[in-house]
Structure formats: structure tokens, C-alpha cells
Amino acid sequence: MVIDDTGTNDVHGPEMYNGKGWPEPVKMILQEVGIGDYSIDQLSSSTRDSVLGEIDKMERVHSRKAANKPKTEKILYGIKAPVSMLMLPMFNEYWSPSGLSQQPGWKFIHVVRDGRDIAFSGNISPVRKFYDYSFKTPTRGLSTSTEVKQMQLWNDWNADVNTWCKRESSLNPNFSFLTVRLEDFVSPETRYSVVKRVADFVGSPVGRCDLCKVAEKGQRDLGSHSHTGLGVKARYGKWRKKVEGKPGMKEELEREGERGLSMFGYEPWVDLESSVECPC
């Protein structure tokens, strides 16, 4: 992994747009299309060329950083940058065999968390930076509630991205994706299954017993922006306490998040991972 921020394990992309990072290209894209499921042909040529050029600047830096790092059989390096999921069509163009990078292809791990928890997150920067761009031409009523705004962004962005990934992976042999729910990683019953799927997806040479060690290792914060000291597991499902005595809030959140909550098996809950014990 290439990391800019050791506190959250993120890459902020300071190489792009004179230090402005991800927000600048994401705003440019949302300004023109407003959604996460789009084709680069929907973008103006000026935006398309500008964003691809800035991705190239970042790629050159990351390639140098990753040059001496251990690699899997299939991956040169990886980055964690949640908002960059809105740039998947641009990455697809850049990391294609005929793109600027001339790489044989790329992979995307879509990590999701229950949108009802996201609604009560202390990190409201996505709403502050991107809400007005995402809902410039609203298809439904805009909310004054920060919690509902966060749910609207979570729902639209993640559902759009998942739809794009499914379609593109069925058409493009140079792209593949994996969806993982954080709740399944946090749960001791399903954590090994998640770790094994991710390891297989990236072509990790790590053996089963070492994967067990990864699965059994206690997690501190998973790159959280806020550290409560309550432990990772206590933060998942916190929305239930937040909506106690507020049936209207629960109903509004689930109405605004219906597409994503259903798509990712949150409402109604669907078991997506097997309960597999470590083999060692």
C-alpha cells in the first residue's frame, strides 16, 4: 500500500491540482454529471484531459514510492481514498492497456459500511464539500438535516459505483472488483472469510496460517477519523441508539437509503459471508 496519511492510511493526492487533491477533480466531475455511474464520454474534453493529466502526476509519484515495496503476483500497489470511487471511469481510462499508464488492467475493492452508521459519522466533510455538487439538479427533496444528507450521499454514491462496477466488469476483461462490508470484517465469525477473499483477489502469496494471524489480530481504529476509545466493534450499529425514540428519523434515513441498504444486504439484513474458522 502507498500511504500519505499514517493516521487514516489514506492517500490524499496532493500531487494533483497544486495540492488540492481529490476534491478538485471530484467536484469537476460532479459539476458535469452529478452521479457516480457515468461514462467519460459524458464529460467535456477539457475536464477529461485535465483529470487524466493530474492522475498521471499522482501515478508517477506512487510508482516511485512502491518501487521497493513487496508486491503480490497481481498488484503493483494499492491506495485507500474513499472519495476517489467517484473517479472510477477515469481510472478505467487511465489504467487500461491503451491508456496513459499502459498497464494491463486494474482492480477495485469497494468497502462499504451501513449507511445508517455513516449518517451519524463525525466526519461530515463529504457533505460540506460535495453535497451541493451531487444534488445540483435534485431528483428528490433536499434535506436540511446533516444526517439525512450523509445518507443521501452514501446511498447515491455507493449504489452508483456498484452499478458501474457490475456493468464494466461484465464487459471489460481488464477490470475486476470486489465488494466487502466492514461489518463482516469486524465480526469474529466472518473476518477470516473476508481476509481470505481479499487476499485471493489481489493474488497475495501469504499462506493460510498467516492469514489467520491477520484475521485474529485486534483492530484499533480501521483508519477512523475519530478515536473514541470504545473499540472498533462498538462503533458498528451505533445508529440504533441514535434513533431510539425517533421513529421519524429512522424512517427517513431508510427511505433515503433504500437503494443502497437493499443492494448491500443491510435492510433487510442478508448474510453475505460464510462463518469460516481459521484452518490453523
Side-chain angles (χ1 to χ4, degrees):
M1 293 289 291
V2 173
I3 296 171
D4 287 344
D5 185 338
T6 56
T8 62
N9 296 323
D10 283 327
V11 161
H12 298 301
E15 302 82 13
M16 298 186 292
Y17 293 101
N18 298 314
K20 294 180 180 178
W22 299 114
E24 190 70 9
V26 168
K27 287 177 182 179
M28 291 168 64
I29 291 168
L30 288 175
Q31 184 76 29
E32 296 192 12
V33 297
I35 56 177
D37 179 15
Y38 63 93
S39 162
I40 63 168
D41 295 332
Q42 294 175 255
L43 300 172
S44 65
S45 58
S46 60
T47 292
R48 189 166 60 243
D49 294 345
S50 173
V51 173
L52 287 172
E54 296 299 313
I55 291 174
D56 190 52
K57 290 179 184 178
M58 183 183 64
E59 153 74 9
R60 293 174 185 273
V61 172
H62 290 170
S63 294
R64 289 196 296 270
K65 288 182 179 179
N68 298 317
K69 290 179 176 288
K71 297 177 177 60
T72 74
E73 298 173 5
K74 301 178 182 178
I75 304 295
L76 293 176
Y77 67 87
I79 62 172
K80 169 180 174 273
V83 77
S84 70
M85 68 179 177
L86 295 175
M87 294 175 59
L88 297 193
M90 302 301 298
F91 293 146
N92 197 48
E93 176 71 11
Y94 182 82
W95 278 311
S96 69
S98 59
L100 283 173
S101 72
Q102 296 185 327
Q103 295 293 338
W106 65 295
K107 293 174 176 287
F108 173 62
I109 300 178
H110 188 192
V111 181
V112 294
R113 181 179 176 184
D114 192 325
R116 292 165 293 191
D117 272 345
I118 296 297
F120 295 102
S121 170
N123 176 24
I124 63 171
S125 63
V127 167
R128 191 174 64 250
K129 294 176 182 176
F130 306 114
Y131 187 81
D132 290 341
Y133 289 89
S134 291
F135 295 98
K136 186 179 65 166
T137 307
T139 57
R140 60 185 186 276
L142 300 184
S143 177
T144 57
S145 162
T146 298
E147 292 81 10
V148 175
K149 286 181 177 181
Q150 299 219 107
M151 173 58 91
Q152 288 176 331
L153 285 183
W154 176 87
N155 178 75
D156 288 22
W157 286 6
N158 284 284
D160 277 358
V161 165
N162 186 261
T163 299
W164 183 89
C165 286
K166 286 179 177 176
R167 184 178 61 252
E168 186 63 28
S169 64
S170 70
L171 301 171
N172 180 3
N174 301 309
F175 169 73
S176 57
F177 81 105
L178 177 70
T179 300
V180 172
R181 294 188 305 196
L182 270 176
E183 289 80 4
D184 292 323
F185 179 72
V186 170
S187 170
E189 290 77 20
T190 53
R191 185 181 297 161
Y192 176 77
S193 175
V194 174
V195 171
K196 180 70 165 56
R197 282 206 303 133
V198 171
D200 290 343
F201 181 69
V202 301
S204 172
V206 174
R208 291 185 302 170
C209 291
D210 285 330
L211 290 179
C212 285
K213 294 177 182 177
V214 173
E216 292 169 355
K217 183 180 179 182
Q219 300 298 318
R220 275 186 320 164
D221 51 52
L222 294 179
S224 173
H225 288 79
S226 60
H227 307 284
T228 64
L230 298 176
V232 168
K233 195 169 183 180
R235 298 204 313 270
Y236 291 82
K238 66 181 181 183
W239 66 268
R240 292 182 176 86
K241 288 188 176 180
K242 297 287 187 179
V243 299
E244 280 183 359
K246 302 175 183 178
M249 170 65 79
K250 179 178 183 295
E251 290 171 6
E252 187 174 11
L253 289 176
E254 293 183 347
R255 182 175 63 251
E256 294 295 338
E258 182 179 7
R259 182 180 171 213
L261 292 172
S262 173
M263 181 178 287
F264 301 110
Y266 285 115
E267 186 62 40
W269 177 264
V270 178
D271 290 327
L272 299 180
E273 296 285 347
S274 302
S275 296
V276 180
E277 293 186 7
C278 287
C280 297

